[in-house]
Amino acid sequence: MAGGWVSRGLVDLQLNGALGIEFSELTDPMQLEKISRYLWSLGISGWLATLISVPTEKLQQAMAVIAQFTAPKNGAKLLGVHLEGPFLNPEYEGAHLRHCLLDLTLENVRRVLGDYQSLVKLITVAPELDPEGKAITWLVEQGILVSLGHTSATFAEAQRAFDQGANLITHLFNAQRPLHHREPGVIGAALLDDRIHCLCIPDGIHLHPATTQLILKLKGTGRVLPVSDAVAPLGMPDGQYEWHGQMIRVKAGKVMREDGRLAGSALSQVDVVERLVSQVGVDPGTALQLCANNPWALLGIADFPSMNEVADLVLWYPQAKRPIRFANL
């Protein structure tokens, strides 16, 4: 099968749900098994269950379910939780529920994490809500990756958070202070600072392909982490769905609220790879590096398996309907 590409399985660091199931609404580990097998069939080997801003008791209920889950043999691994909120700026709330947002204080952070601190691998926060940096510093000390997002942070406020240990930006350019020539804001700070990795949604909907090209040109391939930001309708037909008490409309991967705001996507990480190649002009090898090697490395799982260990490798072949997996290589 000439012309194929071999990679590690893909990883999605910002996946909110699939198959009609939203992770922040979880009630049963069997819901996760269904999604795990579905993701595996696509060529995705791992994901962070992303929980948006809902009441604290619902966040902890979802984390309790996640804590019980072990991926099946032929299933994508749930690598932990990405808490996208509730410590966000209401000025840039996006599709988050404003009444569920909380002040970024150390007390609130500890209360939300509760008994599930070890599950949380990544948290998105608005740093201007923590002017003294106590919460961000504490989170970094706990080994949790801190990402800036849904934020009105100025250039100086973003730089301060980077100095405190935040090293990521959530969906760069979306739901944050715009880049301005007199106030570069969090976007300008992230693009200029070599310590910072940028999560982005290069689906041609959240970002124009030229904007993705700009990010790659300024950050290089090693510091860009494409994500899907997919929500519950991933894997479902186009149509109208209820989502956190609101109606959303799904069409060709685009997810919109009734007020016209984007509410994530219904595209998978595999679709992201395809659009990086077809829309952005990235070669397939680089697209697979961005969506497989980079997230594994960020999470500290950078090496391939040793001899006699099961390898998780995927062959991407242009004519195949699904990727082909290799085991025991």
Side-chain angles (χ1 to χ4, degrees), residues 6-20:
V6 175
S7 78
R8 302 185 74 174
L10 307 182
V11 177
D12 196 343
L13 299 176
Q14 191 166 356
L15 178 62
N16 305 272
L19 302 179

Side-chain angles (χ1 to χ4, degrees), residues 54-187:
V54 295
T56 299
E57 57 270 20
K58 293 195 77 170
L59 287 174
Q60 294 194 342
Q61 173 184 294
M63 289 191 282
V65 173
I66 291 167
Q68 300 173 50
F69 177 69
T70 301
K73 181 179 179 182
N74 293 328
K77 294 180 180 177
L78 207 174
L79 302 170
V81 167
H82 172 180
L83 272 183
E84 190 189 356
F87 310 108
L88 311 178
N89 191 321
E91 184 180 354
Y92 289 97
E93 64 191 19
H96 287 249
L97 307 175
R98 179 171 296 196
H99 67 275
C100 295
L101 301 182
L102 298 176
D103 293 335
L104 180 54
T105 66
L106 189 50
E107 179 184 10
N108 280 344
V109 168
R110 285 174 165 161
R111 181 166 58 85
V112 168
L113 295 180
D115 296 329
Y116 304 104
Q117 180 179 313
S118 63
L119 277 181
V120 178
K121 306 302 179 186
L122 192 159
I123 185 169
T124 294
V125 302
E128 66 275 17
L129 305 182
D130 181 26
E132 296 181 4
K134 291 181 179 179
I136 291 175
T137 300
W138 182 84
L139 286 162
V140 171
E141 289 172 349
Q142 308 315 303
I144 296 172
L145 295 165
V146 176
S147 186
L148 309 188
H150 291 272
T151 171
S152 68
T154 62
F155 186 85
E157 288 170 330
Q159 283 187 313
R160 184 192 67 211
F162 298 157
D163 290 340
Q164 292 160 353
N167 67 344
L168 290 156
I169 299 295
T170 294
H171 43 53
L172 185 67
F173 282 97
N174 289 108
Q176 50 207 232
R177 177 192 289 270
L179 180 68
H180 189 278
H181 59 286
R182 286 193 290 273
E183 174 45 78
V186 66
I187 296 171

